[in-house]
Short mmCIF file of all heavy atoms in Angstrom, two decimals:
data_model
loop_
_atom_site.label_atom_id
_atom_site.label_comp_id
_atom_site.label_asym_id
_atom_site.label_seq_id
_atom_site.Cartn_x
_atom_site.Cartn_y
_atom_site.Cartn_z
N PRO A 153 23.87 7.86 8.36
CA PRO A 153 23.39 9.20 8.61
C PRO A 153 22.76 9.84 7.38
O PRO A 153 21.90 10.68 7.50
CB PRO A 153 24.68 9.94 9.02
CG PRO A 153 25.61 8.88 9.49
CD PRO A 153 25.29 7.68 8.68
N ALA A 154 23.19 9.40 6.20
CA ALA A 154 22.63 10.00 4.99
C ALA A 154 21.13 9.79 4.91
O ALA A 154 20.39 10.64 4.44
CB ALA A 154 23.31 9.42 3.75
N GLU A 155 20.68 8.64 5.39
CA GLU A 155 19.25 8.37 5.33
C GLU A 155 18.47 9.28 6.27
O GLU A 155 17.38 9.72 5.95
CB GLU A 155 18.98 6.91 5.66
CG GLU A 155 17.50 6.55 5.52
CD GLU A 155 17.27 5.08 5.50
OE1 GLU A 155 18.25 4.33 5.53
OE2 GLU A 155 16.09 4.67 5.44
N ALA A 156 19.04 9.54 7.42
CA ALA A 156 18.37 10.45 8.35
C ALA A 156 18.26 11.84 7.74
O ALA A 156 17.25 12.53 7.88
CB ALA A 156 19.14 10.51 9.67
N ARG A 157 19.31 12.26 7.01
CA ARG A 157 19.26 13.58 6.39
C ARG A 157 18.28 13.61 5.24
O ARG A 157 17.81 14.66 4.83
CB ARG A 157 20.66 13.95 5.87
CG ARG A 157 21.68 14.19 6.98
CD ARG A 157 22.91 14.87 6.42
NE ARG A 157 23.59 14.08 5.41
CZ ARG A 157 24.55 13.19 5.71
NH1 ARG A 157 24.91 12.99 6.97
NH2 ARG A 157 25.14 12.49 4.75
N ALA A 158 17.95 12.40 4.71
CA ALA A 158 17.05 12.35 3.57
C ALA A 158 15.59 12.47 3.96
O ALA A 158 14.72 12.50 3.10
CB ALA A 158 17.26 11.05 2.79
N ALA A 159 15.29 12.50 5.25
CA ALA A 159 13.89 12.60 5.70
C ALA A 159 13.41 14.02 5.50
O ALA A 159 13.41 14.84 6.40
CB ALA A 159 13.78 12.19 7.17
N VAL A 160 12.99 14.33 4.30
CA VAL A 160 12.59 15.69 3.95
C VAL A 160 11.09 15.74 3.83
O VAL A 160 10.38 14.77 4.03
CB VAL A 160 13.25 16.10 2.61
CG1 VAL A 160 14.75 16.19 2.77
CG2 VAL A 160 12.88 15.13 1.51
N ASP A 161 10.55 16.92 3.45
CA ASP A 161 9.12 17.07 3.29
C ASP A 161 8.64 16.22 2.12
O ASP A 161 9.38 15.93 1.19
CB ASP A 161 8.78 18.54 3.01
CG ASP A 161 9.07 19.41 4.22
OD1 ASP A 161 9.02 18.86 5.34
OD2 ASP A 161 9.35 20.60 4.05
N PRO A 162 7.38 15.81 2.14
CA PRO A 162 6.86 15.00 1.04
C PRO A 162 6.96 15.74 -0.27
O PRO A 162 6.82 16.96 -0.32
CB PRO A 162 5.38 14.78 1.44
CG PRO A 162 5.34 15.01 2.90
CD PRO A 162 6.39 16.05 3.19
N PRO A 163 7.21 15.03 -1.37
CA PRO A 163 7.24 15.66 -2.67
C PRO A 163 5.90 16.30 -2.99
O PRO A 163 4.86 15.87 -2.50
CB PRO A 163 7.53 14.49 -3.63
CG PRO A 163 8.10 13.42 -2.76
CD PRO A 163 7.50 13.61 -1.42
N ALA A 164 5.95 17.31 -3.83
CA ALA A 164 4.73 18.02 -4.18
C ALA A 164 3.72 17.06 -4.80
O ALA A 164 4.04 16.25 -5.64
CB ALA A 164 5.06 19.14 -5.17
N GLY A 165 2.48 17.23 -4.38
CA GLY A 165 1.44 16.40 -4.94
C GLY A 165 1.35 15.00 -4.38
O GLY A 165 0.55 14.19 -4.81
N ARG A 166 2.19 14.68 -3.41
CA ARG A 166 2.20 13.32 -2.85
C ARG A 166 1.78 13.38 -1.40
O ARG A 166 2.18 14.25 -0.65
CB ARG A 166 3.61 12.74 -2.95
CG ARG A 166 3.76 11.37 -2.37
CD ARG A 166 3.16 10.32 -3.26
NE ARG A 166 3.89 10.25 -4.52
CZ ARG A 166 3.52 9.49 -5.53
NH1 ARG A 166 2.43 8.77 -5.43
NH2 ARG A 166 4.21 9.47 -6.64
N VAL A 167 0.97 12.48 -0.99
CA VAL A 167 0.56 12.41 0.41
C VAL A 167 0.86 11.01 0.91
O VAL A 167 0.88 10.05 0.14
CB VAL A 167 -0.94 12.72 0.58
CG1 VAL A 167 -1.25 14.14 0.20
CG2 VAL A 167 -1.79 11.76 -0.23
N PRO A 168 1.11 10.88 2.22
CA PRO A 168 1.34 9.54 2.75
C PRO A 168 0.17 8.63 2.42
O PRO A 168 -0.98 9.02 2.50
CB PRO A 168 1.46 9.78 4.26
CG PRO A 168 1.92 11.19 4.37
CD PRO A 168 1.27 11.92 3.23
N GLY A 169 0.52 7.40 2.08
CA GLY A 169 -0.53 6.47 1.66
C GLY A 169 -0.98 6.73 0.25
O GLY A 169 -2.05 6.33 -0.16
N GLY A 170 -0.14 7.46 -0.53
CA GLY A 170 -0.53 7.92 -1.85
C GLY A 170 -1.05 6.82 -2.74
O GLY A 170 -0.60 5.71 -2.77
N GLY A 171 -2.04 7.20 -3.54
CA GLY A 171 -2.53 6.29 -4.55
C GLY A 171 -3.68 5.41 -4.12
O GLY A 171 -4.29 4.76 -4.93
N ARG A 172 -4.01 5.40 -2.86
CA ARG A 172 -5.07 4.50 -2.41
C ARG A 172 -6.43 5.17 -2.57
O ARG A 172 -6.58 6.37 -2.38
CB ARG A 172 -4.85 4.07 -0.96
CG ARG A 172 -3.64 3.17 -0.83
CD ARG A 172 -3.68 2.44 0.51
NE ARG A 172 -2.55 1.55 0.58
CZ ARG A 172 -1.36 1.92 1.02
NH1 ARG A 172 -1.15 3.14 1.42
NH2 ARG A 172 -0.36 1.07 1.05
N ALA A 173 -7.37 4.36 -2.86
CA ALA A 173 -8.71 4.86 -3.01
C ALA A 173 -9.22 5.37 -1.69
O ALA A 173 -9.09 4.78 -0.66
CB ALA A 173 -9.62 3.75 -3.54
N GLY A 174 -9.80 6.56 -1.73
CA GLY A 174 -10.31 7.13 -0.50
C GLY A 174 -11.78 6.83 -0.34
O GLY A 174 -12.38 6.01 -0.99
N GLY A 175 -12.41 7.61 0.53
CA GLY A 175 -13.83 7.40 0.74
C GLY A 175 -14.11 6.48 1.87
O GLY A 175 -13.36 5.61 2.22
N GLY A 176 -15.27 6.68 2.50
CA GLY A 176 -15.65 5.82 3.60
C GLY A 176 -16.10 4.46 3.11
O GLY A 176 -16.18 4.17 1.93
N LEU A 177 -16.43 3.61 4.08
CA LEU A 177 -16.80 2.24 3.74
C LEU A 177 -18.12 2.19 2.98
O LEU A 177 -18.36 1.29 2.21
CB LEU A 177 -16.89 1.40 5.01
CG LEU A 177 -15.56 1.16 5.72
CD1 LEU A 177 -15.81 0.44 7.03
CD2 LEU A 177 -14.62 0.35 4.86
N LEU A 178 -18.98 3.17 3.19
CA LEU A 178 -20.24 3.23 2.45
C LEU A 178 -20.32 4.52 1.65
O LEU A 178 -21.38 5.13 1.53
CB LEU A 178 -21.43 3.12 3.43
CG LEU A 178 -21.72 1.70 3.91
CD1 LEU A 178 -22.89 1.71 4.88
CD2 LEU A 178 -22.01 0.77 2.76
N ASP A 179 -19.20 4.95 1.11
CA ASP A 179 -19.17 6.11 0.24
C ASP A 179 -20.05 5.82 -0.98
O ASP A 179 -19.81 4.85 -1.72
CB ASP A 179 -17.72 6.36 -0.20
CG ASP A 179 -17.58 7.61 -1.05
OD1 ASP A 179 -18.63 8.16 -1.44
OD2 ASP A 179 -16.44 8.02 -1.31
N PRO A 180 -21.10 6.63 -1.22
CA PRO A 180 -21.99 6.35 -2.35
C PRO A 180 -21.25 6.26 -3.67
O PRO A 180 -21.60 5.46 -4.54
CB PRO A 180 -22.96 7.55 -2.33
CG PRO A 180 -22.94 8.02 -0.90
CD PRO A 180 -21.55 7.77 -0.42
N ARG A 181 -20.20 7.08 -3.85
CA ARG A 181 -19.44 7.02 -5.10
C ARG A 181 -18.75 5.66 -5.24
O ARG A 181 -18.65 5.13 -6.35
CB ARG A 181 -18.42 8.15 -5.14
CG ARG A 181 -19.04 9.53 -5.25
CD ARG A 181 -18.00 10.61 -5.08
NE ARG A 181 -17.38 10.54 -3.76
CZ ARG A 181 -16.41 11.35 -3.34
NH1 ARG A 181 -15.94 12.28 -4.15
NH2 ARG A 181 -15.91 11.23 -2.12
N GLN A 182 -18.26 5.14 -4.14
CA GLN A 182 -17.61 3.83 -4.19
C GLN A 182 -18.61 2.74 -4.53
O GLN A 182 -18.32 1.81 -5.30
CB GLN A 182 -16.95 3.55 -2.84
CG GLN A 182 -16.03 2.34 -2.85
CD GLN A 182 -15.29 2.19 -1.53
OE1 GLN A 182 -15.48 2.99 -0.62
NE2 GLN A 182 -14.47 1.18 -1.43
N LEU A 183 -19.83 2.83 -3.98
CA LEU A 183 -20.86 1.86 -4.30
C LEU A 183 -21.25 1.93 -5.78
O LEU A 183 -21.42 0.91 -6.44
CB LEU A 183 -22.09 2.10 -3.43
CG LEU A 183 -21.94 1.79 -1.93
CD1 LEU A 183 -23.19 2.21 -1.18
CD2 LEU A 183 -21.67 0.31 -1.72
N LEU A 184 -21.34 3.16 -6.30
CA LEU A 184 -21.70 3.32 -7.72
C LEU A 184 -20.60 2.78 -8.62
O LEU A 184 -20.88 2.16 -9.65
CB LEU A 184 -21.96 4.80 -8.02
CG LEU A 184 -23.25 5.40 -7.42
CD1 LEU A 184 -23.33 6.89 -7.69
CD2 LEU A 184 -24.47 4.69 -8.00
N ARG A 185 -19.32 3.01 -8.24
CA ARG A 185 -18.22 2.50 -9.06
C ARG A 185 -18.19 0.97 -9.06
O ARG A 185 -17.77 0.35 -10.03
CB ARG A 185 -16.88 3.03 -8.53
CG ARG A 185 -16.61 4.49 -8.85
CD ARG A 185 -15.15 4.82 -8.58
NE ARG A 185 -14.79 4.62 -7.18
CZ ARG A 185 -14.83 5.58 -6.26
NH1 ARG A 185 -15.22 6.80 -6.60
NH2 ARG A 185 -14.48 5.34 -5.02
N SER A 186 -18.65 0.38 -7.95
CA SER A 186 -18.61 -1.08 -7.84
C SER A 186 -19.85 -1.75 -8.42
O SER A 186 -19.85 -2.98 -8.62
CB SER A 186 -18.46 -1.49 -6.37
OG SER A 186 -17.30 -0.92 -5.80
N LEU A 187 -20.89 -0.96 -8.70
CA LEU A 187 -22.15 -1.53 -9.17
C LEU A 187 -22.00 -2.30 -10.49
O LEU A 187 -22.55 -3.42 -10.61
CB LEU A 187 -23.21 -0.43 -9.30
CG LEU A 187 -24.63 -0.91 -9.59
CD1 LEU A 187 -25.10 -1.87 -8.51
CD2 LEU A 187 -25.58 0.29 -9.70
N PRO A 188 -21.28 -1.79 -11.50
CA PRO A 188 -21.12 -2.59 -12.74
C PRO A 188 -20.47 -3.94 -12.48
O PRO A 188 -20.88 -4.95 -13.08
CB PRO A 188 -20.23 -1.69 -13.62
CG PRO A 188 -20.48 -0.30 -13.12
CD PRO A 188 -20.68 -0.45 -11.64
N ASP A 189 -19.45 -3.98 -11.60
CA ASP A 189 -18.82 -5.27 -11.28
C ASP A 189 -19.82 -6.20 -10.59
O ASP A 189 -19.82 -7.41 -10.84
CB ASP A 189 -17.61 -5.05 -10.37
CG ASP A 189 -16.43 -4.44 -11.10
OD1 ASP A 189 -16.37 -4.61 -12.33
OD2 ASP A 189 -15.59 -3.80 -10.45
#
């Protein structure tokens, strides 16, 4: 039961899926970041 009680709101500044690069599949910024590689 302790785990069920632990299901609280997300910590400040954190969103589900945190840390992953955003942007669409053809996001121009993503293309520019990948251009040097």
Side-chain angles (χ1 to χ4, degrees):
E155 184 166 357
R157 292 194 299 270
V160 294
D161 293 333
R166 178 75 64 186
V167 295
R172 291 196 178 87
L177 292 174
L178 282 179
D179 184 350
R181 292 172 298 179
Q182 191 174 0
L183 291 174
L184 290 175
R185 285 193 299 266
S186 302
L187 188 58
D189 287 336

